[in-house]
Amino acid sequence: MPDHDILSDDEREALSAVMLEPDLPPQRVLIVDDDRDARELLSEILALDGIHCMTAASGETALKMLETKPSIGLLITDLRMGNVDGLELVRLVRESPRAALPIIIVSGDADVKDAIEAMHLSVVDFLLKPIDTDKLLGLVKHELGMDL
């Protein structure tokens, strides 16, 4: 009986590539902080637990990334930054197509007014620096559905 292959080499290659890809893109965390060291440290802490991160140095960059990267499933932002600070970033996200995105604010310089305003903007939590990494990891895993 002759061997009849119904797939061309190109089709077979395309099928193999699809089969190797995961079903869903990994949910990534976008870390926004104008302090490079703080961004990288937070990214490294989360990466140790297998959490994929992206970083942005400003609120403006974060907004552009949120428009083009649907795999971002959580935003962690510093409160005090340049033109677009953390609260303004949260407000802009809440008015965008990504309004339901879970957001965690971290800050080394916050007052009660900031925390109350953040909670009114439906953030997941407001953490003070130095960050309790166990608490942060628990929140991130919960929001990304990794704590099942």
Side-chain angles (χ1 to χ4, degrees), residues 27 73-74 102-104 124 138-147:
Q27 292 244 305
L74 173 67
I103 300 172
I104 297 170
V124 172
L139 288 168
V140 169
K141 286 181 175 185
H142 176 75
E143 293 302 322
L144 295 179
M146 297 172 71
D147 61 350

Side-chain angles (χ1 to χ4, degrees), residues 2-129:
D3 185 19
H4 294 290
D5 193 355
I6 59 173
L7 296 177
S8 70
D9 289 340
D10 288 342
E11 290 170 327
R12 190 176 300 104
E13 202 171 300
L15 182 60
S16 292
V18 169
M19 298 300 282
L20 294 174
E21 289 179 12
D23 291 341
L24 296 170
Q27 292 244 305
R28 297 185 185 278
V29 175
L30 175 57
I31 300 167
V32 188
D33 197 320
D34 56 356
D35 178 337
R36 180 177 168 213
D37 292 338
R39 275 194 320 268
E40 289 179 2
L41 179 62
L42 200 49
S43 180
E44 288 171 13
I45 289 168
L46 295 176
L48 289 172
D49 257 65
I51 298 165
H52 301 282
C53 298
M54 302 168 142
T55 62
S58 69
E60 296 92 341
T61 301
L63 289 168
K64 288 176 188 162
M65 290 175 77
L66 286 168
E67 287 175 17
T68 60
K69 309 249 186 247
S71 63
I72 296 171
L74 173 67
L75 174 68
I76 299 174
T77 183
D78 187 26
L79 186 63
R80 306 278 183 239
M81 296 186 293
N83 294 336
V84 177
D85 72 3
L87 287 175
E88 183 63 16
L89 176 58
V90 175
R91 274 190 219 95
L92 292 168
V93 170
R94 293 293 178 243
E95 296 168 1
S96 78
R98 301 293 304 269
L101 184 72
I103 300 172
I104 297 170
I105 293 181
V106 294
S107 181
D109 173 31
D111 55 30
V112 173
K113 183 175 130 308
D114 293 326
I116 291 171
E117 189 170 350
M119 291 306 162
H120 283 296
L121 292 168
S122 300
V123 299
V124 172
D125 210 333
F126 191 103
L127 303 176
L128 294 175
K129 294 178 183 176

